[in-house]
Amino acid sequence: MDFATILQLLDSTVRSATPLLLACLAGLYSERSGIFDIGLEGKMLISAFFSASVAAFTGNVWIGLLAGIAASMVFAALHGLASITFRGNQLISGVAINFLAAGMTVVLGDSWFQLGGRTPQLVGDGRFRDITLPFAEAIADVPLVGPIYSDLISGHSILVYMAFFFVPLTWWVLYRTRFGLRLRAVGENPAAVDTAGISVVRARYSAVLICGVLTGIAGAYLATSLAAGFNKDMSAGRGFIALAALIFAKWRPWYALYASLLFGLLDAVGARYQNIAIGEFVIPVQFMQALPYILTVVILAGFVGKAIPPRAGGEPYVKER
Amino acid sequence: MTDAQSDSAPYAIELKGISKAFGPVQANKDISIKVRKGTIHGIVGENGAGKSTLMSILYGFYKADEGEIFINGTLTPIPDSQAAIRAGIGMVHQHFKLVENFTVVENVILGAEDGALLKPSVAKARKLLTELAAEYELHVDPDAIIEDLSVGHQQRVEILKQLYREADILILDEPTGVLTPAEADQLFRILGRLKDEGKTIIMITHKLREIMDVTDTVSVMRRGEMTATVKTADSSPEELAELMVGRKVLLRVDKSPTKPGQTVLQVRDLVVHDEQKVERLKGVSFEIRAGEVLGIAGVSGNGQTELLEVLGGMIAATSGEIVLNGDSIDLTGAKSDGQSRRKRGIAHVPEDRQREGLIMNFAAWENVAFGYHHDPKYQKNRLFMDNAAMKRDTAEKMEHYDVRPPDPMLQAKNFSGGNQQKIVVAREIERNPDLLLVGQPTRGVDIGAIEFIHKQIIALRDEGKAILLVSVELDEIFSLSDRIAVMFDGRIMGERLPDETNEGELGLLMAGVTKGAA
């Protein structure tokens, strides 16, 4: 494997990891506040659809992005309503959101565009374009550093840079701000927060809505940056892989980055090496493509050691007598 | 502060005509209290007497249906906890409201941060913690994680939290329930200092000795009503107990000297490791004879729980031997489960009745049958259980043990703590076991029920059964035990006879101090 191939592989790793990272951070906010969210998938999907549709209508990808975020936040608010206000079962609410998104995107898409559930191909300003960072051309010829900078670091869409920037930002918010302290506390022991005179409900809603914003960006990235339009079920289980990454990362921001990159790498390897021959035996292409999903199952089954979720996770807060 | 001074001090808190109902239950009926500034006021009463409800109203957890609250002489409505905090009221709950995996500093500032960023608050809290540590003996490492601290220290963090919020009025709900005698004494010293600084303290407790030791005035509650408010110095434990229960109560169990028979239980070199492979019992040996109560004293977490669980068949032993009536007991194999132990005549009243003794969502009759549901008298035929027989049996037991309300169909969670415990005790004692294991039989149980449960345990002993009692309450150990063994760090530090020892000596043993050969 030569240097250029490695760079290409890493480059597609970054692209695959971006939506995972965004969704993983989204889940991190929600679950750190004590609201389990298996509806990441559905929120990404609904955002992908609305961002692509609105971008197609308006020809402006930024308006598309906002529409995607808004749609995702509406779904997040639904999840909040069910699990915070009405103290329902968070898993069931999440499942409902996934189903709702899967069905709604196809029905609306077919009725609006008559393209069999797809949205029109996005062109020009209807898509996020790759950004060339300053001096990328200039230092491209410098050995080692040049290609890394110009081929790997430069040349992604703005959403990729945003996603990576969210990692230190999330760390800072969680551990250095009042908001973060309360958010973490409310996921560990809401009674402590309540007796301190702070609203548990408000803290949890804020977390769930931030989760909506991030899944919104993730969905928009899928439809307007990675692809050029929406097609049916395009989130392809990434919401669940992000959940696995979140558990793998033990609900910590930097580890979320590493976990997302690992899954992204598997995805990139699976896409690039369709048939790997080991002597006589050829590993089938399906196996390579299934790799990220297999790892997801392995992680969710608890083979990565003890991951302790936020202690109040999954439980609606009821004031005790 | 002398009585003359406290008599003239203004009222820090005045409650006028507080009433609160939960559905048909009148938790507080027209309650009025006045507490002077700079005093310690005790509130005693049985479980369900309405003490906690009253304090929850004062702390803004509930809104009173009627009544007014005056703080320092001004009418202060308290619709929520935030208002209570603003009025200078701080509450230390019985079950601490701490975030267990946060540091001390994080817990202290939570909810009282100075701005959007944590840095200034953390610095301020650190400084204040050092000052308070010096001023009130409230030493805690600001960077320690809560779950690594002892309960005594966790309680200090709760107090520090309130002081950080500049609370002038401290409410403590059953503060010594989880403390060792030494920790409790230290808490009382701290409370004394706080009082000298002009803080007003309200302490809810059911331990009369503490009331006598630390409070200036005391109010007694019974069934939602305030039955009396007296100066502690003018009262006695007997009088308070009577006011609480509404009848004369025996504070010490009447028992005849033991007449020990043959050895029932022998435990030899018992070693137990927990799931994390930590050694919890490090070679424990003792024996109990028929007609004898062996009391195990110790600070909780020194292996008593594991000892009960091994004997009761809930966990497996690593090595050692347990002999019951001359035959050894299977410690690791197929017959090491609780069911087999029961068949051998070991009954077990577990330490945590809500988690191990009962299934809270199940009816009383189901709970009474549990563990003994294979009993022939509960079977209709080979296929079906005889529910009617179980219900009849439960109704009988409930009458015998004075469980209130005597309704076999009621879910376990709807009984008060004392009545729940009576259900467990009834189930286990009525089996007429050879060996009864009892863990914390009266934790969170009111005085009337304590008296009753103690009598039952002694009655079983007098029938010639062996009893292993584990309790963190030294009073209980002293009044029930025929012999006392003290556990520390998975070992038995020594055995004493109740008549030949005292709390001081046991306290030292509980802390792992042995005075040479003496």
Side-chain angles (χ1 to χ4, degrees):
Chain A
M1 210 185 295
D2 61 16
F3 186 55
T5 322
I6 293 177
L7 274 187
Q8 278 172 10
L9 198 62
L10 292 180
D11 184 62
S12 53
T13 297
V14 168
R15 284 167 206 275
S16 313
T18 298
L20 295 178
L21 178 58
L22 285 164
C24 191
L25 291 174
L28 192 144
Y29 278 99
S30 183
E31 302 210 344
R32 272 293 180 119
S33 83
I35 303 294
F36 283 160
D37 192 355
I38 58 167
L40 295 174
E41 175 84 2
K43 288 199 277 282
M44 275 166 84
L45 195 61
I46 199 77
S47 158
F49 173 74
F50 273 97
S51 58
S53 304
V54 172
F57 278 131
T58 60
N60 185 328
V61 69
W62 288 98
I63 299 178
L65 174 68
L66 289 180
I69 292 176
S72 168
M73 285 178 77
V74 167
F75 271 44
L78 265 180
H79 185 53
L81 197 68
S83 47
I84 304 169
T85 306
F86 295 120
R87 296 174 191 150
N89 185 309
Q90 298 168 9
L91 295 184
I92 292 179
S93 165
V95 169
I97 279 172
N98 289 339
F99 275 118
L100 193 60
M104 207 167 129
T105 47
V106 175
V107 171
L108 286 182
D110 210 27
S111 130
W112 289 352
F113 306 106
Q114 284 96 36
L115 290 169
R118 281 188 295 116
T119 61
Q121 186 81 13
L122 294 173
V123 286
D125 285 340
R127 251 192 103 186
F128 280 107
R129 268 179 271 181
D130 293 345
I131 297 173
T132 307
L133 294 182
F135 315 117
E137 311 262 319
I139 64 165
D141 296 330
V142 178
L144 203 64
V145 182
I148 290 181
Y149 183 75
S150 58
D151 292 345
L152 181 57
I153 297 177
S154 171
H156 295 286
S157 94
I158 181 82
L159 298 184
V160 174
Y161 299 108
M162 273 167 80
F164 282 81
F165 172 69
F166 284 147
V167 175
L169 182 68
T170 299
W171 177 86
W172 184 79
V173 166
L174 275 186
Y175 297 103
R176 289 289 180 268
T177 68
R178 174 176 63 191
F179 176 78
L181 182 74
R182 293 179 176 184
L183 185 128
R184 285 184 290 133
V186 95
E188 297 289 342
N189 185 356
V193 176
D194 196 20
T195 47
I198 308 161
S199 165
V200 173
V201 169
R202 215 176 86 183
R204 286 191 163 172
Y205 262 109
S206 329
V208 165
L209 289 177
I210 292 175
C211 167
V213 172
L214 292 175
T215 45
I217 300 175
Y221 176 76
L222 288 181
T224 63
S225 184
L226 206 56
F230 175 87
N231 51 56
K232 183 172 177 282
D233 289 337
M234 77 181 303
S235 49
R238 284 189 181 86
F240 295 106
I241 296 180
L243 271 185
L246 182 59
I247 293 170
F248 201 24
K250 300 187 175 163
W251 293 268
R252 288 171 299 187
W254 285 103
Y255 290 86
L257 172 65
Y258 309 144
S260 302
L261 284 174
L262 173 66
F263 279 106
L265 178 68
L266 286 179
D267 204 31
V269 169
R272 185 175 178 95
Y273 298 99
Q274 305 265 312
N275 292 300
I276 297 179
I278 299 174
E280 290 292 295
F281 182 72
V282 177
I283 298 173
V285 54
Q286 288 85 354
F287 178 79
M288 296 308 293
Q289 286 170 342
L291 260 185
Y293 301 91
I294 292 171
L295 184 65
T296 305
V297 170
V298 168
I299 287 173
L300 289 181
F303 287 108
V304 286
K306 204 162 183 187
I308 302 161
R311 287 173 204 187
E315 286 167 25
Y317 178 61
V318 185
K319 240 182 210 192
E320 56 199 295
R321 266 184 73 171
Chain B
M1 183 173 283
T2 65
D3 283 350
Q5 270 175 311
S6 57
D7 278 355
S8 58
Y11 291 117
I13 306 161
E14 194 176 350
L15 302 179
K16 276 188 187 165
I18 300 282
S19 291
K20 172 80 186 170
F22 295 104
V25 183
Q26 190 75 37
N28 285 161
K29 260 179 272 182
D30 190 26
I31 288 181
S32 302
I33 316 187
K34 294 174 181 177
V35 180
R36 289 194 191 276
K37 190 171 160 52
T39 63
I40 301 183
H41 185 89
I43 297 184
V44 288
E46 296 195 278
N47 285 332
K51 299 168 296 195
S52 297
T53 306
L54 186 66
M55 289 304 112
S56 297
I57 289 171
L58 185 54
Y59 192 62
F61 249 37
Y62 302 124
K63 259 188 91 166
D65 301 335
E66 278 170 62
E68 291 172 330
I69 299 170
F70 293 84
I71 304 293
N72 296 321
T74 37
L75 179 65
T76 316
I78 301 184
D80 51 37
S81 300
Q82 202 110 52
I85 293 166
R86 271 199 306 273
I89 301 173
M91 183 150 178
V92 176
H93 295 261
Q94 184 179 4
H95 304 287
F96 305 142
K97 307 290 184 188
L98 296 170
V99 183
E100 296 236 303
N101 49 4
F102 276 23
T103 64
V104 170
V105 167
E106 283 178 320
N107 268 288
V108 166
I109 62 174
L110 178 64
E113 307 90 342
D114 286 324
L117 297 185
L118 292 182
K119 216 170 184 174
S121 312
V122 169
K124 183 180 146 194
R126 254 175 222 286
K127 188 161 160 275
L128 200 76
L129 285 180
T130 334
E131 285 169 20
L132 291 172
E135 202 173 342
Y136 299 111
E137 284 187 55
L138 283 162
H139 298 279
V140 243
D141 172 11
D143 295 311
I145 304 287
I146 296 296
E147 57 199 353
D148 296 338
L149 296 175
S150 68
V151 262
H153 278 80
Q154 292 185 8
Q155 189 175 51
R156 283 187 199 174
V157 178
E158 279 283 16
I159 294 174
L160 285 166
K161 242 168 86 177
Q162 309 313 328
L163 295 178
Y164 183 76
R165 286 162 174 73
E166 295 173 354
D168 277 326
I169 300 165
L170 271 179
I171 307 169
L172 293 110
D173 190 359
E174 298 282 0
T176 58
V178 288
L179 302 184
T180 63
E183 282 175 328
D185 286 342
Q186 194 156 28
L187 171 70
F188 295 149
R189 273 208 303 283
I190 292 167
L191 294 185
R193 294 245 182 131
L194 290 168
K195 173 177 125 172
D196 294 342
E197 295 287 317
K199 310 269 184 201
T200 311
I201 295 160
I202 298 185
M203 189 168 110
I204 304 178
T205 180
H206 63 269
K207 294 184 187 168
L208 294 172
R209 203 164 47 91
E210 291 171 0
I211 291 285
M212 300 313 292
D213 285 354
V214 296
T215 63
D216 298 301
T217 49
V218 54
S219 298
V220 183
M221 288 187 73
R222 170 152 47 101
R223 297 199 189 144
E225 287 178 271
M226 193 66 84
T227 49
T229 297
V230 292
K231 268 198 182 166
T232 314
D234 302 340
S235 185
S236 67
E238 288 75 18
E239 185 196 4
L240 292 177
E242 201 181 324
L243 283 167
M244 273 165 73
V245 185
R247 62 181 164 83
K248 286 229 178 287
V249 183
L250 267 169
L251 288 180
R252 240 186 140 77
V253 187
D254 248 349
K255 62 173 200 213
S256 51
T258 173
K259 295 177 220 91
Q262 65 187 53
T263 303
V264 173
L265 177 76
Q266 279 175 290
V267 173
R268 289 191 207 115
D269 294 326
L270 195 61
V271 177
V272 168
H273 289 84
D274 66 8
E275 283 170 10
Q276 279 81 44
K277 307 273 175 255
V278 179
E279 203 177 15
R280 291 294 176 185
L281 291 184
K282 303 175 177 172
V284 169
S285 304
F286 61 88
E287 55 176 58
I288 313 178
R289 306 211 276 172
E292 189 182 44
V293 177
L294 174 67
I296 306 252
V299 181
S300 66
N302 278 293
Q304 305 97 309
T305 304
E306 287 78 8
L307 179 61
L308 280 178
E309 289 181 346
V310 161
L311 290 171
M314 290 162 73
I315 57 175
T318 312
S319 65
E321 195 182 11
I322 302 177
V323 178
L324 185 72
N325 290 330
D327 296 324
S328 73
I329 276 183
D330 186 1
L331 283 180
T332 46
K335 291 239 182 277
S336 65
D337 61 315
Q339 197 67 49
S340 313
R341 295 286 156 82
R342 290 196 144 92
K343 285 198 184 115
R344 292 285 304 270
I346 300 181
H348 184 188
V349 176
E351 288 187 304
D352 188 341
R353 63 173 162 273
Q354 305 207 337
R355 220 176 283 163
E356 286 144 8
L358 297 164
I359 299 181
M360 301 305 281
N361 285 330
F362 278 24
W365 69 270
E366 292 170 305
N367 274 301
V368 165
F370 265 135
Y372 303 103
H373 48 281
H374 294 302
D375 202 274
K377 74 170 177 183
Y378 288 154
Q379 314 302 321
K380 210 177 247 168
N381 47 44
R382 282 175 150 268
L383 205 54
F384 291 101
M385 296 200 294
D386 190 349
N387 290 2
M390 294 183 198
K391 284 174 199 162
R392 263 199 316 277
D393 194 40
T394 304
E396 266 170 41
K397 288 197 171 93
M398 286 178 132
E399 201 195 317
H400 185 178
Y401 280 79
D402 190 28
V403 177
R404 275 179 263 181
D407 177 4
M409 307 301 287
L410 201 62
Q411 287 179 342
K413 65 179 175 199
N414 293 326
F415 290 93
S416 73
N419 284 306
Q420 288 173 357
Q421 188 70 336
K422 282 181 184 175
I423 293 175
V424 179
V425 170
R427 175 178 73 205
E428 302 301 335
I429 289 188
E430 289 290 291
R431 286 290 138 178
N432 202 17
D434 293 334
L435 170 68
L436 178 69
L437 311 170
V438 204
Q440 321 295 350
T442 54
R443 179 183 277 170
V445 169
D446 48 64
I447 290 195
I450 289 178
E451 187 193 13
F452 186 86
I453 290 168
H454 282 177
K455 274 187 188 164
Q456 296 301 322
I457 292 173
I458 292 303
L460 194 71
R461 177 199 82 153
D462 290 343
E463 282 175 32
K465 309 298 184 184
I467 291 159
L468 178 71
L469 166 76
V470 168
S471 178
V472 291
E473 303 279 352
L474 273 183
D475 283 347
E476 185 166 69
I477 292 284
F478 268 105
S479 71
L480 291 180
S481 310
D482 298 311
R483 275 187 297 132
I484 300 173
V486 180
M487 277 189 85
F488 172 76
D489 195 25
R491 287 194 183 86
I492 289 191
M493 300 301 289
E495 271 189 30
R496 299 285 186 275
L497 294 174
D499 299 339
E500 295 170 9
T501 184
N502 54 44
E503 288 207 0
E505 190 190 8
L506 292 190
L508 284 176
L509 287 173
M510 284 161 70
V513 183
T514 39
K515 284 182 287 182

